[in-house]
Amino acid sequence: MISNLACSQCPLCFYTVYKYIGTVTDVAKQEFLINYKSHDANGLAQSQTVGSVGLWVRTSLLPHVGSVRGEMAAALSRALKLPGKKGSELGEYDPLTQADSDDESEEDDLVLNYPRNGLGRDSCLGTGSSKLRGGRSGRLVGAEDGVQDDDEDEEEDEWRERLPSKSRQDRNDMKGVQYWSHRDSDGERKREDRGGPGAMGGAGLGLHSSDEQKRLRVKNAIRSAFFLVPLVCATVVVLLCAFLIPCQKGDLEKRLQWEKALGGTGGVTPPALALWDVDGDSVEDVFLGVTESTNETHTTQIYSAVALSGVSGQVLWKKVMSEAVMYIQCGLQYSTVPSPVCLLICKSYIMAVNGTTGKKLWSSSIKSIESQAVLLPDLQGDSHPDLLVATLPADDKFDLSLTLISGETGALLGRAVPFNVTAQGTLIGPWLYETQQGVYYILFGLGNVKAVSLRDIYFQATGKLPETQALRKKDSGWEGMKKDNFSSIIQIYSPRDHDQARFLLPLVAGFGRNHNNLDTASNLNSTRSDWVLVYGGSVQLLLRQRNLRKKWTYKTASSQSQPVAGHFNSDGILDLFIQHSSNGVMKTLIIDGANGTRLWAAEFVCPHLRLETSAISTSTGQSAFLFWASDPIKAQKNVTKTTVSPGVAVAEPLIRKLYMLHPTYPTVLLELASTTDTAVTSAVRYQDHQKDASYITVSSSTMPNSVPSTYIVKCVSLRAAITKGQTVWIGDGSKTAGALKPGEVSKFFRHLTFRHQ
């Protein structure tokens, strides 16, 4: 037991114990020297438990201590740097029983609060609470007060000088080793005092700590797995999408170009055509009115409305009708029907169908329908917009009637309201117009232009005012233009001589015969825009801000096709593309929408087509114009105009060509396509994701073996057609061609993209 007092590597411990043994008895001193030498010879570990020192002192030394016990204990504590405290009452200092006292000095805190294995002094995995250990320790009473610390310090310094080989760092390292050895031995001794398991208890705690560490490692591994597995999966998916899965853009562009043959036709009469997305693929689908013959004599015909997929041209649905479909309009929205609703307008009835399935929703019988439907505000207060169509009256004393229809059920609202417009000619409108005061008027006429308040039409049809207060208002400026208080008609334009009105249309980009749908957005744009009136040989711009008073008038030849609005210059005001044909020559020109001056003009061999021009918005902010014509006529070789006498028809050219004109190069045309078929109607749609546009044409093609002519519906990607297009110089373009760099024009058109305005 004495051999465990100190180690051979700790001379300070040896000196302290040896010195104070001598004060007790020579026998104890001799026993200490013998065991110390044996301990040093065996080469025991340097970090022996300090608890053994305390145990030897308690069992062997204390019986001989007597009155000098307090002095020896104080010196031993300073030598071993053991924590402890002085008694508050007796002044005693016991390092063996006060190691874990609550009232610790500043130096003791630095030692005791040092973490062990990552745990604090109060951790459950340690050897026990230091507070509890300090509380359970007893104090040895009987030491003398007034120990002389100064004498002891001097003796300790003298001993340190005799052993210079040990550095201070070695002594500090030994202090920490001795402290932890003391704590472990002290805890074991206390467990023995309480009848505990002793060393086996320490082993039990170590086993418990090992299990806890294993559980922590498993828990950390599970957490890491939950984090890393989703991260790896997400990375794999991104890599698959980015590199391994092939891009479908090229396939989509190929699929957007298709051709579909549909039934026999009745000649070159333009069929009903409309565009609207009804299958939710973000590509506008094609709706077409078709007439088919069941036999060779054409005595029996079948009428139908067909919906074609805008992506592939496959038939989505087909609806058999009892009459030929004159107009197709889509865009109505019902709260009870999630899909868009389309109107199929025939001569004697209107049918509303589900745009996705073609299922009939309602039908309304109306005789002698002459126009498309006009979308009106809610007249009945049922939260659904209502409709209006122009019809021929049953009474020959009147020229035209306006009929109101419920947009929800298709029921007639009252009776048809007849009007005597006192003119003959092309049907104008009807159109919905909103004044500056927010009052709605209907513009219509036959060779002239009249206006009637929507409030008056509803009152004459039903005998009561509209349910909505906003529709009961009057515009004093417009009401003052009436001839008298008994008339409801306002005169907008009256023809002179042969200058009958031919077209009246809102000045809106993209507006056309095949894009007059019933959605609220486009309807709002048209009702609040300026208007263009084409009559006789003149084109006139009517300003909404001045209650449809003219701003400018441009004199030109009579036009057989409706003007198209687009941006030719960069002033932000829509310009007008106009074409007219005479004596086998088709003249095309563009009029400035700001002042009515001519911006561009060209002449072509007449293709004998009455096909509406299309204006497409491009990425440059200007519009590209698509039109059908034959070869351009050179200014110096204008043979057609001089050799053909008036009234003699020119032989129909064999080839008709589709040209594109862009304002950046006004002397260059890009030839996109050529055909011998007769195109009867066309439309343009946009693909915003591809920054492309598609040109859809319906052509009448005569089949061999005396088979009746067939409608050919063709969808062409404009960007794909541009890559195969050929440049054609017009006017004086050949003179300026030398100033352009080689390939400059082709490069410009190849990089041209299209966007919805």
Side-chain angles (χ1 to χ4, degrees), residues 374-377 430-434 440-443 454 523 526-528 531:
V374 179
L375 188 68
L376 303 177
W431 302 112
L432 180 66
Y433 175 80
E434 183 181 0
Y440 291 98
Y441 283 81
I442 300 298
L443 304 179
L454 181 59
N523 185 69
S526 61
T527 58
R528 296 181 178 179
W531 292 73

Side-chain angles (χ1 to χ4, degrees), residues 649-662:
V650 182
E652 183 177 351
L654 180 62
I655 299 177
R656 300 178 176 93
K657 301 178 180 180
L658 176 63
Y659 291 108
M660 173 183 284
L661 168 68
H662 195 277

Side-chain angles (χ1 to χ4, degrees), residues 54-55 57-58 62 69 73 77 82-87 92-102 130-141 182 186 189-190 193:
L55 185 60
V57 172
R58 188 179 299 273
L62 286 183
R69 176 186 176 278
S77 175
L82 291 176
K85 75 171 185 178
K86 293 183 179 181
E92 60 190 6
Y93 194 98
D94 191 352
L96 303 179
T97 59
Q98 299 293 329
D100 295 320
S101 175
D102 294 334
S130 62
K131 295 180 181 180
L132 292 177
R133 291 195 302 271
R136 294 179 59 90
S137 300
R139 290 187 174 91
L140 297 178
V141 183
H182 164 71
D186 187 60
R189 178 182 57 81
K190 291 179 180 180
D193 294 342

Side-chain angles (χ1 to χ4, degrees), residues 227-294:
F227 171 74
L228 293 176
V229 170
L231 181 62
V232 172
C233 293
T235 304
V236 171
V237 171
V238 171
L239 293 176
L240 287 175
C241 295
F243 301 104
L244 301 182
I245 299 178
C247 181
Q248 301 295 330
K249 182 178 179 180
D251 296 340
L252 181 60
E253 290 180 354
K254 293 179 181 178
R255 291 171 59 194
L256 290 176
Q257 301 188 77
W258 47 267
E259 185 174 317
K260 185 74 173 180
L262 298 174
T265 69
V268 294
T269 304
L273 176 65
L275 302 178
W276 196 265
D277 179 21
V278 295
D279 55 6
D281 57 2
S282 300
V283 178
E284 288 184 319
D285 303 303
V286 182
F287 296 85
L288 193 68
V290 179
T291 301
E292 299 177 276
S293 300
T294 58

Side-chain angles (χ1 to χ4, degrees), residues 410-429:
L412 298 181
L413 301 182
R415 61 182 184 87
V417 181
F419 294 95
N420 191 355
V421 294
T422 63
Q424 298 294 327
T426 305
L427 175 64
I428 301 297

Side-chain angles (χ1 to χ4, degrees), residues 631-701:
D631 295 328
I633 298 176
K634 305 296 183 181
Q636 66 273 18
K637 297 181 180 180
N638 195 351
V639 180
T640 307
K641 295 178 60 177
T642 57
T643 58
V644 179
S645 59
V648 178
V650 182
E652 183 177 351
L654 180 62
I655 299 177
R656 300 178 176 93
K657 301 178 180 180
L658 176 63
Y659 291 108
M660 173 183 284
L661 168 68
H662 195 277
T664 304
Y665 297 98
T667 59
V668 178
L669 295 177
L670 193 64
E671 182 183 327
L672 301 181
S674 60
T675 181
T676 56
D677 296 337
T678 302
V680 293
T681 186
S682 64
V684 173
R685 71 178 183 196
Y686 295 89
Q687 287 92 46
D688 295 332
H689 295 292
Q690 290 80 27
K691 296 181 180 180
D692 195 4
S694 297
Y695 187 64
I696 300 172
T697 57
V698 180
S699 302
S700 177
S701 176

Side-chain angles (χ1 to χ4, degrees), residues 124-175:
C124 62
L125 296 179
T127 58
S129 175
S130 62
K131 295 180 181 180
L132 292 177
R133 291 195 302 271
R136 294 179 59 90
S137 300
R139 290 187 174 91
L140 297 178
V141 183
E144 296 181 357
D145 300 332
V147 177
Q148 300 298 325
D149 294 338
D150 295 338
D151 295 337
E152 297 167 355
D153 293 337
E154 291 176 1
E155 295 176 356
E156 180 179 345
D157 295 338
E158 182 180 357
W159 176 258
R160 293 175 185 269
E161 293 176 357
R162 295 178 182 178
L163 299 172
S165 60
K166 294 294 181 177
S167 64
R168 180 173 300 178
Q169 181 66 30
D170 295 337
R171 294 193 298 269
N172 291 339
D173 294 341
M174 290 304 301
K175 292 176 185 178

